[in-house]
Amino acid sequence: MSAEKRAQSPSSGGGKIEEHAKVDKEKPWRRLVRLFRYTRPYRARLVIAIVSLLVGAGLGLVYPWYFGELLGDAFAEQSTASLNKNTLILITTFGIGSVFVFIRHYLMSWLGERVVADLRLEVHRHLLRMTQRYFHDNRTGELLSRQSDDATRLQSVIGQDLSLALRNILTLIGGVTMLLVVSPKLTGTVLLVVPPLVIAANLWGRIIRKLARQAQDQLAQASGQLQEGLSAVDTVQSFTREDHEAGNYGQGIERAFKLFVKQIRARSWFMSVSSFLAFGAVAGIFWLGGHMVIDGRIAPDELGKFFMYTLAVAGAVGSLAGVVGSYNQALGATARLFEILDSEPEIQDAPDAIALAEPRGEIGFEGVTFAYGDRDLEVIRDFDLRIAPGQVCALVGSSGSGKTTVGRLLLRFWDPQQGRVTFDGHDLRELELASLRGAMAEVSQDPVLFSGSIRDNVRYGRLDASDEEIEAAAQAANADGFVREFPDGYDTIIGERGVKLSGGQRQRLAIARAILRDPKVLLLDEATSALDSESEHLVQAALERLQEGRTTLVIAHRLSTIRDADRIVVLDHGAIVESGTHAELMGRGGAYSRLVARQAALEPDRAAS
């Protein structure tokens, strides 16, 4: 698709998880097959585990036979030698079986943990590729719940339930076969219990799947509330809303708890009814078999074997009932995870995307019109702007005029509905995202730092940077001085989002990170608007040093910081109303001079003259 056609096409994908209906309609067994595709890289372990399972299940069918022989030795033949021989065979078989049980259990549990770890990593990588619209429409806490809680529920399916299901299915088939060998008449009685169990499993399975999905959705919503409250705990505490947030979270947890209880009740009824049918059949077989022995129609040792195989079949049916309940619960979790993986990122590389070999930093906006997907109002309208390499261009305007949106479009967090944004003459949609964003660095008014050390946060700009390069970047950002005042220096842990640092210190570390990245284009989004005078002076000096030789787009709030910009562009409701240098715009007495005068009245000590 050409850049022009792409520019005209509406945004598609990336919003509220769009595959919900698609995944829900997908056949349950297809989701299960898709889940087990994650075992492909470890097929050797899976094969060994299945072979061990087959051997173990086969040996499991030997036990009832020799138990029957022991009963015959003790009560019919009363042969001590035969009793000793069969006991030794049985114990040896138990010993061999236990080895294969260990192999099967270890390998299947390993596979369960490995697949869940791989799935979590894939979901995380996929989420990192998703675009701004996706995270606007889906709360972070809910996504985290899916990645952690739902993935955990799948571990038992692969690690335990699969082997249990296969073992019990083999036991069921083998047991019924042996029952037919011993007594076809009694076997017919055993099989009477199967149709009711199949019907019950189908009906209860649907109920359990629906309840499991509802419960997990509600838990994810509660997790979203928890994450929001904790991430804004300072606001919660300053407004004394601790009880309010705890109450909201508690209500969500209670709703989830009630749904889980409904699910537990459905599973409990299912297991109860299936167990009653299975073991009721056993009791009936004991009664009928006893009469057959009395009438001489079956030998006592054959009845003993039949009883043992009946118990094995009944145990397999009962265990399968539990596995079916767990399987239905896991299907809800797989649907929620696959919804994430099936959501395509709205912004991604074109098949023929090109890499920027030697970026120069020329930026262009050509007839750009843009509106956020959930709004009808156009934030940017017929926007035309060209910034030459090395030029400093400042965007000013009242709140909501579209300044920050211009920066978002330049980083290609969004695509315009009309027009195009260019970098070195290339439409951004023709460039590899990593190449485009690798040529830029952003310093915002609220920079995001991570909970590691100062050194790690600065190194985030370029991961292969040496300690000397990190310290040099910090010096250029006027950060080295305060860093060395800490007892641990560059190894100081700064807490989540840099909570242990002041606003000015966080800004200077963000500037050091940008310096280390050495970008061709620098995006400054009101980088000094929230600082005191002393911090602003230090940060501004660092920013001036950072801008040298780079194309810079400044989204300005304090107009005093942009007087020396090569060009100042005034925005009003997404359109350019004025453009020029500070002196030119002041001389015109238009929108820019009114903004300066208004700010001078509000902040006389900071106003531009």
Side-chain angles (χ1 to χ4, degrees):
M1 183 185 291
S2 67
E4 290 78 6
K5 289 182 179 179
R6 286 195 301 266
Q8 299 295 332
S9 63
S11 299
S12 61
K16 189 73 175 174
I17 297 174
E18 297 173 348
E19 301 294 328
H20 192 126
K22 174 184 172 183
V23 174
D24 275 351
K25 291 178 180 178
E26 190 177 30
K27 296 290 186 182
W29 66 267
R30 289 186 181 274
R31 292 208 300 270
L32 202 62
V33 169
R34 182 177 174 183
L35 175 63
F36 280 101
R37 286 176 186 160
Y38 287 88
T39 64
R40 284 179 179 174
Y42 320 107
R43 58 174 64 91
R45 290 174 180 261
L46 181 61
V47 169
I48 295 172
I50 291 177
V51 169
S52 299
L53 185 146
L54 292 172
V55 173
L59 291 174
L61 295 174
V62 173
Y63 307 149
W65 184 273
Y66 279 97
F67 272 119
E69 291 292 317
L70 291 177
L71 290 174
D73 294 337
F75 299 107
E77 299 182 16
Q78 296 185 347
S79 170
T80 304
S82 181
L83 181 65
N84 292 341
K85 182 190 73 172
N86 287 325
T87 301
L88 182 60
I89 292 174
L90 191 59
I91 292 174
T92 302
T93 307
F94 280 144
I96 296 171
S98 65
V99 173
F100 286 99
V101 166
F102 171 83
I103 296 173
R104 184 260 306 170
H105 185 270
Y106 172 79
L107 291 178
M108 292 304 296
S109 297
W110 186 94
L111 279 169
E113 296 291 349
R114 182 67 264 172
V115 166
V116 168
D118 290 347
L119 189 57
R120 280 178 173 151
L121 290 171
E122 182 177 353
V123 170
H124 184 240
R125 281 193 295 265
H126 190 79
L127 286 173
L128 291 176
R129 292 174 52 238
M130 296 307 292
T131 46
Q132 300 290 304
R133 188 193 307 275
Y134 186 85
F135 294 104
H136 285 194
D137 293 338
N138 297 280
R139 290 198 299 184
T140 304
E142 293 188 36
L143 297 174
L144 291 175
S145 174
R146 294 188 179 209
Q147 190 174 357
S148 58
D149 297 342
D150 289 350
T152 300
R153 292 181 181 275
L154 302 183
Q155 189 279 332
S156 63
V157 175
I158 298 173
Q160 299 174 21
D161 294 343
L162 172 64
S163 61
L164 284 176
L166 290 176
R167 188 186 68 187
N168 286 307
I169 289 172
L170 291 172
T171 300
L172 181 61
I173 295 173
V176 170
T177 302
M178 295 304 296
L179 287 174
L180 287 169
V181 170
V182 175
S183 175
K185 181 177 180 180
L186 283 175
T187 303
T189 306
V190 173
L191 295 180
L192 287 176
V193 79
V194 174
L197 275 178
V198 171
I199 295 172
N202 186 48
L203 293 176
W204 262 298
R206 294 178 183 178
I207 296 171
I208 292 169
R209 277 199 300 271
K210 182 178 179 181
L211 290 173
R213 176 60 189 260
Q214 292 175 348
Q216 286 301 113
D217 283 343
Q218 182 57 53
L219 183 61
Q221 290 181 20
S223 298
Q225 292 175 328
L226 175 64
Q227 189 271 337
E228 285 184 345
L230 292 180
S231 63
V233 68
D234 51 348
T235 303
V236 173
Q237 292 176 348
S238 65
F239 279 89
T240 63
R241 290 293 180 263
E242 295 91 341
D243 291 341
H244 174 75
E245 289 297 324
N248 284 342
Y249 179 63
Q251 290 174 5
I253 288 295
E254 282 300 315
R255 285 193 291 268
F257 170 74
K258 290 177 181 178
L259 288 170
F260 278 120
V261 168
K262 287 183 179 180
Q263 176 189 334
I264 292 169
R265 188 181 298 124
R267 289 186 65 184
S268 299
W269 271 110
F270 176 51
M271 295 180 70
S272 174
V273 171
S274 60
S275 296
F276 172 77
L277 291 173
F279 289 102
V282 171
I285 291 164
F286 269 80
W287 176 82
L288 181 59
H291 279 280
M292 291 177 69
V293 170
I294 293 172
D295 296 339
R297 288 178 289 165
I298 190 173
D301 63 324
E302 290 179 336
L303 181 61
K305 293 174 184 177
F306 195 90
F307 284 161
M308 297 307 298
Y309 280 116
T310 300
L311 290 175
V313 169
V317 171
S319 182
L320 279 173
V323 171
V324 168
S326 179
Y327 156 81
N328 282 302
Q329 189 177 31
L331 283 178
T334 58
R336 290 159 51 83
L337 284 170
F338 290 153
E339 280 170 6
I340 294 178
L341 294 175
D342 290 341
S343 298
E344 286 295 323
E346 180 182 352
I347 306 294
Q348 54 185 315
D349 288 341
D352 55 349
I354 60 176
L356 286 166
E358 296 182 1
R360 295 180 294 109
E362 181 184 2
I363 298 169
F365 292 83
E366 302 174 4
V368 171
T369 295
F370 173 75
Y372 290 101
D374 56 349
R375 312 175 202 169
D376 295 328
L377 180 65
E378 293 175 344
V379 183
I380 298 293
R381 292 180 291 108
D382 298 323
F383 188 83
D384 288 287
L385 178 65
R386 181 183 178 278
I387 307 173
Q391 189 177 56
V392 177
C393 179
L395 300 180
V396 301
S398 59
S399 178
S401 60
K403 304 186 299 296
T404 297
T405 298
V406 172
R408 304 294 91 181
L409 291 172
L410 178 58
L411 285 163
R412 209 192 165 202
F413 288 156
W414 305 83
D415 281 337
Q417 280 82 28
Q418 295 180 20
R420 65 176 195 157
V421 186
T422 65
F423 192 107
D424 289 351
H426 300 285
D427 189 314
L428 299 191
R429 287 163 289 208
E430 298 172 352
L431 299 174
E432 292 180 359
L433 276 174
S435 174
L436 168 68
R437 293 171 183 168
M440 294 187 279
E442 180 184 24
V443 180
S444 67
Q445 62 178 332
D446 185 22
V448 174
L449 300 179
F450 300 95
S451 59
S453 67
I454 290 175
R455 191 186 310 278
D456 291 339
N457 273 277
V458 177
R459 182 175 275 129
Y460 206 78
R462 182 159 56 85
L463 297 179
D464 61 352
S466 66
D467 289 347
E468 292 75 16
E469 290 173 317
I470 290 170
E471 293 172 13
Q475 289 172 1
N478 289 333
D480 184 73
F482 81 79
V483 171
R484 295 190 183 278
E485 290 177 358
F486 291 116
D488 295 328
Y490 283 87
D491 294 320
T492 300
I493 303 300
I494 62 175
E496 187 176 4
R497 298 183 66 89
V499 68
K500 297 181 181 180
L501 302 178
S502 69
Q505 290 172 337
R506 288 197 296 271
Q507 287 286 25
R508 280 177 276 171
L509 287 186
I511 293 170
R513 183 169 61 189
I515 290 173
L516 193 64
R517 188 171 181 82
D518 192 21
K520 277 295 180 182
V521 173
L522 183 63
L523 179 60
L524 304 179
D525 189 352
E526 300 185 348
T528 63
S529 65
L531 304 179
D532 56 66
S533 299
E534 182 178 355
S535 295
E536 180 182 0
H537 172 74
L538 292 171
V539 170
Q540 191 61 40
L543 287 174
E544 290 172 0
R545 203 171 293 128
L546 175 59
Q547 293 174 39
E548 294 176 0
R550 296 181 172 90
T551 306
T552 305
L553 181 64
V554 182
I555 297 169
H557 177 73
R558 288 182 179 169
L559 304 182
S560 60
T561 63
I562 57 156
R563 285 177 297 179
D564 298 328
D566 299 316
R567 187 179 181 188
I568 298 173
V569 176
V570 184
L571 293 181
D572 183 35
H573 293 90
I576 297 176
V577 294
E578 280 187 329
S579 177
T581 65
H582 172 76
E584 290 171 348
L585 295 177
M586 289 299 292
R588 293 176 191 171
Y592 178 75
S593 64
R594 289 193 295 272
L595 285 173
V596 172
R598 188 181 306 134
Q599 194 167 105
L602 294 173
E603 300 180 78
D605 58 325
R606 295 184 181 274
S609 59

